[in-house]
Amino acid sequence: MNNSWFKEAIIYQIYPQSFKDSNNDGIGDLQGIISKIDYLVSLGINCIWLSPIYVSPMADNGYDIADYYNINPIYGTIEDFKELIFKLHQNNIRLIMDLVVNHTSDEHRWFKEASSDKNSPYHDYYIFKDKPNNWTGFFGDKAWSYNEKTNEYYLHLFDKKQPDLNWENPLVRQEVQNICKYWLDLGVDGFRCDVINLISKDQEFKNGHNKLILVGKKYFINGPKLHDYLQELNEKVLSHYDCMTVGETVFTTLDDIKLLTDENRKELSMVFNFDHTSVDNFLGVKWLMRKFKLKRFKKILDKYQYGLENAGWYSIFYENHDQRRSVGRFNLDEKMANYTAPMLATTMYLLRGTPYIYQGQELGMTNLNVKDLDEFIDVETKDVLKLMKKLPLSKKYIDKSIRNGSRDNARTPFQWDDSEYAGFSNAKPWIMVNDNKDFINKEKEEKDENSILNYYKKLIRVYKENNLIIRDGKYNDLKPKSNKIFMYERILNEQRMIVISNFTSKTIKMKLPEDCQILLNNYQEIKNNFLLPYQTLVYLK
Ligand code: ISL
Ligand code: CA
């Protein structure tokens, strides 16, 4: 991994189930993606992160893998996959795969053997104990389930259909190396490594201190051998390819990230950290809602912008398949999305780090509006709803929290046009289509010069044209105390870029920079001495 193309990448995440259905069975697929490469080219992105497409019973939409070497037939075949890589590469778009190796599906052959016979060589691929400890998993449920055949409990930090792998076992690590090698040899350009900082577990398996949600999390985060495992994977496999890795890390600190992304240590190219997406919750738990404050948001982003100045690298993003949509978030009025979505994007993507755009974000796609909470179908939402109903919480609180937090918000079909199923499919899709597809859709926005989509294209163009200063420029927050304005500069040699964003619905009196080139503005005009509601401006001097 002695390359740095990842620092110039503009990455677009595709959630295959919801992007484009080519054979009208209601489920997105690989041929669907292939049919939309022109669209990806028109956006200007240069790398795709593809959420899991491996064989899976889909208990967690593919994050539960039953066979790492084959494509889930609902998505197509290995031939389709080869065609996809080939055509993406032809268009100078790289492809990174999702690597989910903290756990497998309970329907993986390894687990089937492991759970039926204590003496099977696969038994030690997983974590079995005679007695469970008190850990709670990420979906709010107990982290251990009973396995009758061996009279033991097995660990699963996510759903019970996602047993955790035992990375202490060198054979498991060898399997992971083989998997990486297989896909790299097929031409993929890297991996997004699912919950990678959970792979090493403290072997004492101590009880957590209290009975709060995520009990025991300290004991399964950044375990003692995490760095060794990552270095080993690099040495054995990754370093032999021109590839990148982005680790999804949960509850990591700045110091953790410095270590994980230090180029000399050869662990990960960059990580996803969720501090800034937790700005409107408590304890990093999205169900515990908290009022958004711009100052707090900036403080978090500043911490990493300054903190990683001379060490490490970062990913910048708002959305992914687990997060709610950014439109309508951060105290912003959903009806003003034509202004707020460009403002949010500009503010975020000119920071230092590799930008990630989640499918549909560039259209300003919104959260799903369901009538009844039971219409949510995601496993996490169902588990958490069940748990919340047992707790002393008001109906109103539960309603709001679930609506905000459900991962279904991000998973509705991509809105290509205003037809019945939004041009995603001719058949009823696996998940509800958002009813605002009539006015939020790709076809309509392409024709409208002032649409969110066309703003994103402009932003990406500006990003590429000014790549050096955005990549290497020194960052300074120019108004850290303001709860209304996010204003920063990026400085490289003689050049200075200034980004100013109004996070409020009010016009604000302020002196704007003079004698600069204006690179971006989400209004047609500039009003001297005034920053218009939700206005965003980018200057270059
Ligand atoms: O989504 C979250 C909160 O709603 C996170 O806690 C999330 O569960 C965590 O970031 C891990 O996510 C990843 O691994 C999960 C999978 O369900 C997610 O889709 C994936 O992004 C287990 O594989
Ligand atoms: Ca299909």
Side-chain angles (χ1 to χ4, degrees):
M1 270 199 319
N2 36 21
N3 61 71
S4 58
W5 62 260
F6 64 83
K7 292 189 177 175
E8 276 147 49
I10 303 171
I11 303 184
Y12 186 82
Q13 183 190 352
I14 292 186
Y15 195 67
Q17 219 174 339
S18 306
F19 191 60
K20 172 68 189 169
D21 176 17
S22 72
N23 62 347
N24 295 312
D25 60 358
I27 305 169
D29 46 57
L30 296 177
Q31 282 300 333
I33 302 175
I34 292 171
S35 72
K36 295 295 182 186
I37 290 180
D38 285 355
Y39 173 67
L40 301 172
V41 171
S42 77
L43 265 179
I45 55 95
N46 54 25
C47 185
I48 299 289
W49 151 25
L50 188 57
S51 276
I53 51 164
Y54 315 91
V55 172
S56 161
M58 304 296 271
D60 187 15
N61 285 7
Y63 284 88
D64 48 321
I65 299 173
D67 176 355
Y68 289 90
Y69 293 97
N70 282 295
I71 306 286
N72 189 333
I74 63 171
Y75 293 136
T77 62
I78 198 77
E79 292 311 317
D80 295 324
F81 183 75
K82 287 181 186 162
E83 184 183 338
L84 175 65
I85 298 200
F86 179 77
K87 293 197 167 150
L88 286 173
H89 283 172
Q90 248 182 350
N91 286 284
N92 297 319
I93 298 176
R94 292 183 155 101
L95 175 78
I96 64 173
M97 300 271 277
D98 222 304
L99 182 72
V100 188
V101 287
N102 172 68
H103 44 267
T104 68
S105 161
D106 65 341
E107 295 182 32
H108 195 290
R109 181 176 56 88
W110 303 335
F111 191 75
K112 283 192 196 154
E113 298 205 14
S115 60
S116 49
D117 178 5
K118 257 188 186 180
N119 298 318
S120 153
Y122 292 105
H123 190 260
D124 196 35
Y125 270 41
Y126 296 88
I127 302 167
F128 286 96
K129 298 277 177 216
D130 291 336
K131 264 196 179 156
N133 63 19
N134 75 349
W135 292 358
T136 304
F138 279 77
F139 294 164
D141 224 343
K142 286 198 164 52
W144 300 86
S145 285
Y146 182 62
N147 177 50
E148 222 179 277
K149 279 199 184 140
T150 62
N151 187 23
E152 291 167 303
Y153 292 82
Y154 67 92
L155 178 68
H156 54 86
L157 296 181
F158 293 89
D159 191 65
K160 60 176 185 303
K161 285 187 65 65
Q162 294 167 295
D164 279 50
L165 282 166
N166 175 21
W167 277 66
E168 295 281 319
N169 182 346
L171 294 174
V172 167
R173 306 204 300 276
Q174 178 70 55
E175 299 274 10
V176 173
Q177 291 161 22
N178 295 346
I179 294 165
C180 290
K181 205 167 162 341
Y182 175 78
W183 292 101
L184 288 165
D185 286 337
L186 273 178
V188 313
D189 300 289
F191 301 101
R192 175 268 188 189
C193 311
D194 193 62
V195 288
I196 200 68
N197 68 322
L198 303 182
I199 56 176
S200 160
K201 273 91 177 171
D202 189 327
Q203 293 300 297
E204 283 187 56
F205 291 95
K206 280 193 217 144
N207 273 330
H209 290 309
N210 56 45
K211 293 230 156 63
L212 269 176
I213 202 163
L214 291 181
V215 153
K217 86 179 185 219
K218 303 218 299 244
Y219 300 111
F220 50 69
I221 278 156
N222 305 326
K225 296 193 188 141
L226 171 63
H227 300 289
D228 296 344
Y229 294 158
L230 291 172
Q231 286 170 14
E232 181 186 56
L233 185 59
N234 259 282
E235 189 201 311
K236 297 264 166 68
V237 183
L238 303 177
S239 60
H240 305 282
Y241 295 83
D242 178 25
C243 68
M244 66 156 262
T245 50
V246 48
E248 186 204 28
T249 57
V250 287
F251 300 105
T252 36
T253 63
L254 177 61
D255 287 336
D256 297 328
I257 295 176
K258 278 188 185 162
L259 288 180
L260 289 166
T261 64
D262 177 340
E263 281 175 29
N264 299 317
R265 294 171 56 90
K266 304 215 183 324
E267 296 184 16
L268 296 164
S269 313
M270 65 185 113
V271 302
F272 288 117
N273 165 268
F274 295 94
D275 282 8
H276 67 288
T277 58
S278 296
V279 62
D280 48 7
N281 69 44
F282 291 103
L283 303 170
V285 180
K286 67 181 170 188
W287 313 103
L288 307 175
M289 297 172 291
R290 183 182 194 184
K291 199 170 174 322
F292 172 79
K293 283 264 182 337
L294 179 61
K295 224 165 102 175
R296 194 185 308 130
F297 191 54
K298 294 195 287 190
K299 201 172 156 191
I300 298 167
L301 290 168
D302 286 356
K303 175 171 148 191
Y304 293 97
Q305 288 295 305
Y306 290 122
L308 295 170
E309 213 163 58
N310 301 312
W313 190 249
Y314 205 53
S315 324
I316 45 182
F317 68 99
Y318 288 107
E319 299 183 10
N320 65 30
H321 63 291
D322 294 333
Q323 298 285 327
R324 52 193 281 214
R325 292 294 188 172
S326 51
V327 160
R329 197 175 174 176
F330 311 114
N331 285 350
L332 301 173
D333 183 356
E334 204 173 281
K335 289 194 254 10
M336 294 294 284
N338 270 342
Y339 294 95
T340 61
M343 185 278 282
L344 285 176
T346 308
T347 310
M348 179 64 73
Y349 294 130
L350 300 181
L351 294 172
R352 184 163 180 273
T354 297
Y356 288 77
I357 300 167
Y358 177 67
Q359 67 180 46
Q361 182 186 327
E362 76 280 17
L363 303 177
M365 276 181 64
T366 66
N367 280 353
L368 181 61
N369 191 11
V370 297
K371 282 203 195 71
D372 197 282
L373 295 188
D374 292 332
E375 290 174 64
F376 286 120
I377 57 176
D378 178 43
V379 50
E380 182 195 54
T381 311
K382 284 179 186 289
D383 284 354
V384 172
L385 183 59
K386 212 162 51 190
L387 178 82
M388 278 189 172
K389 284 183 175 162
K390 287 189 214 148
L391 300 173
L393 297 168
S394 73
K395 257 200 147 131
K396 204 171 145 205
Y397 185 89
I398 296 182
D399 191 80
K400 189 157 182 227
S401 168
I402 293 285
R403 281 174 192 281
N404 270 334
S406 176
R407 303 191 298 186
D408 288 337
N409 284 319
R411 300 178 179 183
T412 61
F414 189 96
Q415 292 163 205
W416 295 101
D417 60 37
D418 63 3
S419 61
E420 187 176 9
Y421 300 123
F424 164 74
S425 177
N426 292 334
K428 192 168 187 288
W430 68 279
I431 189 172
M432 281 162 84
V433 175
N434 212 320
D435 50 19
N436 57 28
K437 51 113 172 106
D438 290 346
F439 45 98
I440 301 175
N441 67 62
K442 176 245 177 201
E443 196 179 72
K444 188 163 166 292
E445 292 191 33
E446 242 170 21
K447 291 182 198 136
D448 172 3
E449 208 189 310
N450 298 314
S451 65
I452 298 174
L453 175 60
N454 278 319
Y455 188 89
Y456 262 84
K457 288 186 190 172
K458 221 182 298 167
L459 175 61
I460 292 171
R461 210 165 51 232
V462 166
Y463 186 96
K464 286 178 170 165
E465 285 165 6
N466 297 277
N467 188 255
L468 270 187
I469 188 165
I470 296 166
R471 196 182 70 186
D472 297 332
K474 161 106 184 71
Y475 168 85
N476 285 311
D477 187 339
L478 300 174
K479 276 189 181 298
K481 297 254 156 61
S482 169
N483 251 323
K484 297 177 179 161
I485 299 174
F486 199 154
M487 175 169 175
Y488 62 84
E489 63 182 4
R490 306 292 312 277
I491 296 182
L492 185 72
N493 305 325
E494 301 299 299
Q495 255 195 346
R496 180 169 183 235
M497 181 180 269
I498 306 170
V499 180
I500 310 175
S501 295
N502 181 354
F503 269 69
T504 77
S505 57
K506 306 247 154 56
T507 297
I508 299 175
K509 200 165 185 314
M510 83 176 273
K511 207 170 149 8
L512 297 172
E514 282 162 5
D515 309 322
C516 300
Q517 184 190 348
I518 297 163
L519 295 182
L520 288 162
N521 177 6
N522 60 346
Y523 279 78
Q524 311 302 342
E525 84 244 64
I526 289 199
K527 209 168 156 199
N528 263 342
N529 296 319
F530 290 100
L531 198 55
L532 300 168
Y534 305 122
Q535 188 167 27
T536 191
L537 288 162
V538 180
Y539 294 92
L540 188 70
K541 204 171 175 160

